[in-house]
Amino acid sequence: QVQLVESGGGLVQAGESLRLSCAASGSIFNINFMGWYRQAPGKYRDFVAGITSGGSTNYADSVKGRFTISRDNAKNTVYLQMNSLKPEDTAVYYCKVNRGRSLGEYWGQGTQVTVSS
């Protein structure tokens, strides 16, 4: 089993920054993807950013140029640097890990990000 512990959420004003962290522990072998998703009140969960085991990244159009995803393999941690935050970024942010070799996918518990105007 993989455990994902998310941290770094909070309340900020528009234009400010936050850095989210997701630390993986447990059966962390064969992880081929780590990413971030978010869910606003009354909305479906949307993809935000992802990074593969090879280091390739992808972003939703709404955050491209403002958010940066990165990983630290030694710490088994993925980060989301969120700059120039907007009120519409307000959501619960979830970390997701995909394991290869048919070992499934795992989700964190979520961390709240609130951006005030």
Side-chain angles (χ1 to χ4, degrees), residues 1 26 32 35 39 58 68 75 77 80 82 97 116:
Q1 290 292 313
N32 59 20
Q39 187 168 18
N58 194 25
T68 302
K75 297 181 179 179
T77 300
L80 186 67
M82 307 163 62
V97 167
S116 63

Side-chain angles (χ1 to χ4, degrees), residues 29-76:
F29 302 103
N30 303 114
I31 292 176
N32 59 20
F33 174 87
M34 301 184 77
W36 292 94
Y37 296 71
R38 66 187 182 187
Q39 187 168 18
K43 302 292 185 179
Y44 294 109
R45 189 172 299 183
D46 293 328
F47 169 79
V48 177
I51 186 167
T52 69
S53 59
S56 298
T57 59
N58 194 25
Y59 300 91
D61 288 341
S62 59
V63 307
K64 196 169 187 177
R66 299 187 297 121
F67 292 9
T68 302
I69 188 170
S70 61
R71 60 186 172 91
D72 186 334
N73 290 333
K75 297 181 179 179
N76 299 309

Side-chain angles (χ1 to χ4, degrees), residues 10-16 85-88 90 113-117:
L11 174 64
V12 298
Q13 295 188 55
E16 296 183 339
L85 283 163
K86 304 174 181 179
E88 50 263 43
T90 296
V113 172
T114 302
V115 184
S116 63
S117 59

